[in-house]
Amino acid sequence: MIESIEELEAIRKTCHSMVTKSSSLSAGAAVIPIPGVDIGSDVAILMRLIPKINQKFGLTPEQIDSLDTESKLFVMTAISNTGSKMAGKYITKKLIVMLLSKMGVKVASKGVAKFVPFVGSAVAGGISFSAMKYMGSRHIEDCYQIALATLENERRKHEIIIEPAPKQGG
């Protein structure tokens, strides 16, 4: 469990670095002028990246299941409130493909761009990098908001309210 805002910020920074590296891999695959290679690699990259981000923020299904009932309910509500499609979920190929298809314009233009010699590959790489960076960064921010809300909820639960002692003999 995340203990402080500082720890949460460090996790966010680490995850952004992972997303940047993954985005570079995606861009590299997009430059290869073979149709379909980049989509397959994007799915594979996201199938590894998203669970790693979830794990860092304590939001894998297993981590959530290990919480007490009240905390589990709070986390699931926070996930629902952010609208996250990937936090707290088992990441499947079907889920990744669905999310990539929601970014359809970028994916389609990336495929078409490959057929323009040289410049097209560079454009496809740029689109791929941007799409992967956007998806990863958005997921990090969702996870950050969920973890922040959970941290604040835990702090409220553990605050000790000190009441003044009743006066004696008075």
Side-chain angles (χ1 to χ4, degrees):
M1 174 160 240
I2 298 169
E3 302 289 329
S4 68
I5 297 274
E6 293 76 23
E7 183 182 354
L8 189 57
E9 290 293 337
I11 291 168
R12 181 196 236 174
K13 186 175 180 181
T14 299
C15 289
H16 275 295
S17 175
M18 290 177 358
V19 165
T20 300
K21 286 177 188 163
S22 295
S23 298
S24 296
L25 287 173
S26 175
V31 171
I32 299 168
I34 302 170
V37 168
D38 52 343
I39 302 300
S41 67
D42 284 355
V43 170
I45 290 166
L46 288 167
M47 295 257 325
R48 282 192 312 268
L49 178 65
I50 299 303
K52 282 182 186 175
I53 293 169
N54 285 345
Q55 189 273 326
K56 295 264 185 209
F57 282 101
L59 295 172
T60 65
E62 296 81 9
Q63 289 168 313
I64 294 169
D65 284 344
S66 72
L67 299 172
D68 63 79
T69 304
E70 185 183 335
S71 297
K72 191 184 306 186
L73 184 61
F74 183 86
V75 169
M76 295 310 287
T77 301
I79 289 170
S80 177
N81 289 344
T82 64
S84 175
K85 304 280 187 255
M86 298 183 285
K89 306 221 175 25
Y90 288 102
I91 305 304
T92 63
K93 187 174 181 178
K94 184 177 178 182
L95 175 63
I96 296 295
V97 170
M98 181 205 56
L99 293 169
L100 282 171
S101 70
K102 285 189 176 185
M103 298 183 78
V105 174
K106 289 183 180 176
V107 171
S109 60
K110 178 168 73 166
V112 171
K114 278 188 175 189
F115 296 106
V116 178
F118 185 68
V119 175
S121 290
V123 169
I127 292 169
S128 194
F129 181 91
S130 299
M132 182 70 64
K133 184 87 169 161
Y134 172 79
M135 251 179 107
S137 295
R138 180 152 178 212
H139 182 57
I140 290 168
E141 292 313 307
D142 286 348
C143 289
Y144 179 87
Q145 292 306 318
I146 295 161
L148 181 62
T150 304
L151 180 62
E152 289 170 355
N153 184 57
E154 287 299 312
R155 281 190 178 160
R156 279 193 296 277
K157 278 188 349 187
H158 296 295
E159 282 178 357
I160 300 170
I161 299 169
I162 302 172
E163 307 238 354
K167 292 186 179 177
Q168 298 288 328

